[in-house]
Amino acid sequence: MHFRLFAEEVYTQRRKSLMESMQSGILLFLGNEEVGMNYADNTYPFRQDSTFLYYFGIDIPGLAAIIDADAQQTILFGDDISLDGVIWTGPLPTMAYMADQVGISKTASISELAGYLSNKKNIQYLPPYRAVNQIKLSSLLNQPLGKIKENFSLKLIKAVIGQRSFKSALELTEMEAACDISADMHLAAMQYAKPGMKEYEVAAQVRKVAYEQGGALAYPIILTVNGETLHNHYHGNTLAPGHLLLIDAGAENDLHYAGDLTRTFPVSSKYSEQQKDIYNLVIKMMDNAIDALKPGITYKEVHGIAAKTLIGGMLDLGILKGNAEEAFQNDVHTLFFQHGLGHMIGLDVHDMEDLGELHVGYEEGTQKSKAFGWKSLRLARTLQTGMTFTVEPGIYFIPTLIDRWYNERKLEQFINYEELLKYKNFSGVRVEDNYVITDTGARKLGKYLPKYLSEIEAIRES
Ligand code: GLY
Ligand code: MN
Ligand code: MN
């Protein structure tokens, strides 16, 4: 087979746990299909659905599966490869063989799925994020598209999140591998980037390292001298002395576990004095957050620790003034730190976001704040052993945002605008690593990637 799998028992056990928590119902899972880029046969790289990978492992298009929690059995729906398929895309093992590799003894043709479902009650499915699967469900379940988008199973969402949120030792090994490749991508960029290059030349090196190790990108590369734009995908600027280059890039390994790392380094070999102050403050936010990681703390609290560290540092720099706690209560930090401290990571870079950010990142009964800054906090819930997530503080000077606040003299009791305006064209700094909660604290995933200023300057100078 051209894809790797965990041992058969891993998938059998995962499905057994799901059946135990659901107790009843026909649980319907659709795999992903090939998607045409500009015509049907010229496809985007195939990416199997992550939940499908979790329970069934098989990394090819054209599949669906049923976990029948009433009859305690699993059926894999799909067809053996046709002669045309063999000719154009190569031979594949039979469906029966692939099913057996993941502990499934019953297979059926995909054409039998509609008939199988036609007399079933209590069919439960997850929210479909691709239009093709929305249309398929509409046809299979004989419901209009609008209803399909509403009638997904909250119980199934919670059961799946209940499992996928906690990574096994086997999964952690895969995540370490993904983070190792991701670290190599960043180190290559730090060693390669020189003044005069285009951002896309550096992006090409980052991409190369992911692919030469059998990986792929877990998400589009952010690589920019305008790091204040949070998800900047433009790579056409020329690197110049004095610029900071922000790179947010991560690989997924062959089993599709993701890494998500960010570093921000000077295009010159050294950070300027102003860049040093801001960079070291972001590192302090990160280290204070990491020191607080342990089972039982909420990630909202950890986000608060990073935000308060930012305010303390900005008071020292004279950009802020007044009382630190009052500044925090007034959300002054959101002028500089507009996103959340992190998100869950696993088979998806933002793990399980297709199942609903609130269900993944927030405890039942807790509300997500609608306030600027806080509304972008994807992970707020209590951390528990086995959870994997990113720690990614940042400080961004966004000229449009600064102008807006300045024109309103917003929170001027806390902001020294005269000093702030000296940073208006600074750009942004983010640093990001991935962690797992252990019984006593937390452990960084993957090999060490230099993050302290002196370490990065040493690489840039060599
Ligand atoms: N790479 C996107 C993020 O850090 O969330
Ligand atoms: Mn990232
Ligand atoms: Mn991230």
Side-chain angles (χ1 to χ4, degrees):
M1 282 192 305
H2 62 268
F3 54 87
R4 189 162 64 91
L5 292 166
F6 288 121
E8 168 199 325
E9 310 79 69
V10 171
Y11 301 100
T12 306
Q13 187 56 47
R14 287 172 176 176
R15 294 191 301 267
K16 186 162 170 279
S17 298
L18 183 63
M19 285 190 262
E20 277 165 13
S21 57
M22 292 300 289
Q23 291 185 346
S24 65
I26 304 293
L27 318 178
L28 169 61
F29 298 89
L30 299 184
N32 277 339
E33 299 293 349
E34 299 275 19
V35 179
M37 198 159 60
N38 44 354
Y39 55 90
D41 283 345
N42 196 32
T43 55
Y44 288 106
F46 174 69
R47 177 55 156 83
Q48 183 59 289
D49 173 72
S50 296
T51 298
F52 199 90
L53 284 171
Y54 185 80
Y55 291 109
F56 313 104
I58 304 177
D59 195 4
I60 59 172
L63 303 179
I66 297 285
I67 298 178
D68 182 337
D70 303 314
Q72 298 274 310
Q73 71 167 359
T74 301
I75 309 172
L76 182 71
F77 290 84
D79 292 303
D80 286 340
I81 192 161
S82 65
L83 183 60
D84 269 347
V86 172
I87 291 165
W88 290 95
T89 55
L92 264 181
T94 61
M95 289 304 303
Y97 177 85
M98 289 189 282
D100 185 60
Q101 296 295 298
V102 294
I104 299 173
S105 55
K106 201 166 161 45
T107 61
S109 166
I110 197 79
S111 61
E112 294 175 57
L113 180 58
Y116 176 88
L117 292 169
S118 63
N119 61 352
K120 295 286 188 293
K121 294 202 171 58
N122 195 13
I123 299 168
Q124 308 206 28
Y125 61 88
L126 297 170
Y129 54 91
R130 285 195 182 182
V132 167
N133 280 352
Q134 291 168 2
I135 294 165
K136 270 197 215 171
L137 284 171
S138 169
S139 151
L140 285 168
L141 304 178
N142 197 21
Q143 289 180 28
L145 216 44
K147 286 277 173 249
I148 286 294
K149 289 183 201 165
E150 291 167 5
N151 287 347
F152 55 79
S153 165
L154 194 55
K155 188 174 175 195
L156 184 55
I157 287 176
K158 288 181 183 169
V160 171
I161 291 174
Q163 280 185 272
R164 283 183 56 191
S165 294
F166 302 98
K167 273 60 178 182
S168 67
L170 278 176
E171 289 185 288
L172 290 175
T173 302
E174 301 301 327
M175 296 202 54
E176 300 268 6
C179 288
D180 281 351
I181 302 172
S182 307
D184 288 345
M185 291 155 69
H186 282 268
L187 192 60
M190 263 181 225
Q191 291 166 336
Y192 181 78
K194 294 281 174 298
M197 283 179 181
K198 290 286 191 185
E199 292 164 335
Y200 54 70
E201 292 178 68
V202 185
Q205 296 302 311
V206 173
R207 207 173 274 123
K208 171 177 177 282
V209 174
Y211 285 95
E212 75 187 1
Q213 296 193 41
L217 296 180
Y219 53 93
I221 297 173
I222 298 166
L223 188 153
T224 178
V225 295
N226 297 126
E228 78 283 5
T229 303
L230 299 182
H231 282 177
N232 192 339
H233 293 136
Y234 176 70
H235 295 154
N237 293 306
T238 304
L239 310 188
H243 276 148
L244 282 177
L245 184 60
L246 183 152
I247 305 181
D248 183 343
E252 59 172 42
N253 77 338
D254 61 334
L255 278 188
H256 302 288
Y257 285 87
D260 179 7
L261 307 182
T262 307
R263 290 293 184 270
T264 309
F265 60 81
V267 169
S268 319
S269 55
K270 287 192 177 302
Y271 294 83
S272 71
E273 289 306 311
Q274 204 185 42
Q275 289 168 347
K276 249 184 217 173
D277 289 339
I278 299 302
Y279 188 82
N280 281 332
L281 181 50
V282 173
I283 293 296
K284 198 166 168 192
M285 291 164 71
M286 187 172 198
D287 285 348
N288 286 351
I290 291 163
D291 284 348
L293 297 176
K294 60 176 185 203
I297 194 166
T298 70
Y299 210 55
K300 190 172 180 181
E301 289 174 86
V302 183
H303 178 86
I305 289 168
K308 286 177 186 175
T309 305
L310 182 158
I311 288 172
M314 290 286 183
L315 286 168
D316 291 344
L317 290 172
I319 299 174
L320 294 183
K321 57 189 178 181
N323 177 278
E325 183 57 34
E326 280 175 30
F328 176 67
Q329 293 307 330
N330 282 277
D331 293 344
V332 175
H333 58 279
T334 64
L335 175 58
F336 311 100
F337 181 32
Q338 299 84 14
H339 59 72
L341 184 63
H343 50 83
M344 302 270 260
I345 185 167
L347 282 165
D348 308 297
V349 59
H350 287 188
D351 211 22
M352 301 172 278
E353 207 161 282
D354 58 315
L355 305 183
E357 199 184 306
L358 212 58
H359 302 306
V360 179
Y362 285 71
E363 254 112 22
E364 215 164 329
T366 58
Q367 288 290 321
K368 191 176 184 188
S369 167
K370 292 189 170 64
F372 181 66
W374 291 99
K375 71 177 183 201
S376 306
L377 183 56
R378 288 188 156 92
L379 178 59
R381 70 193 257 201
T382 306
L383 300 179
Q384 291 169 262
T385 305
M387 283 185 175
T388 51
F389 54 90
T390 67
V391 181
E392 49 179 310
I395 293 180
Y396 312 94
F397 294 91
I398 303 172
T400 311
L401 183 62
I402 292 172
D403 285 345
R404 175 78 69 92
W405 283 39
Y406 179 54
N407 291 338
E408 294 171 12
R409 298 295 191 275
K410 188 167 169 176
L411 295 170
E412 65 180 348
Q413 67 274 38
F414 300 111
I415 300 167
N416 186 350
Y417 277 106
E418 197 180 323
E419 197 56 32
L420 171 66
L421 291 175
K422 295 179 191 164
Y423 290 77
K424 192 169 155 184
N425 296 312
F426 178 95
S427 75
V429 172
R430 176 165 66 256
V431 181
E432 174 174 28
D433 276 326
N434 305 155
Y435 280 81
V436 57
I437 293 291
T438 62
D439 289 336
T440 52
R443 178 165 62 77
K444 198 184 91 62
L445 295 169
K447 61 171 75 163
Y448 185 72
L449 174 66
K451 75 173 188 187
Y452 293 105
L453 188 138
S454 58
E455 299 171 328
I456 291 180
E457 287 189 343
I459 294 170
R460 295 295 296 150
E461 276 164 1
S462 62

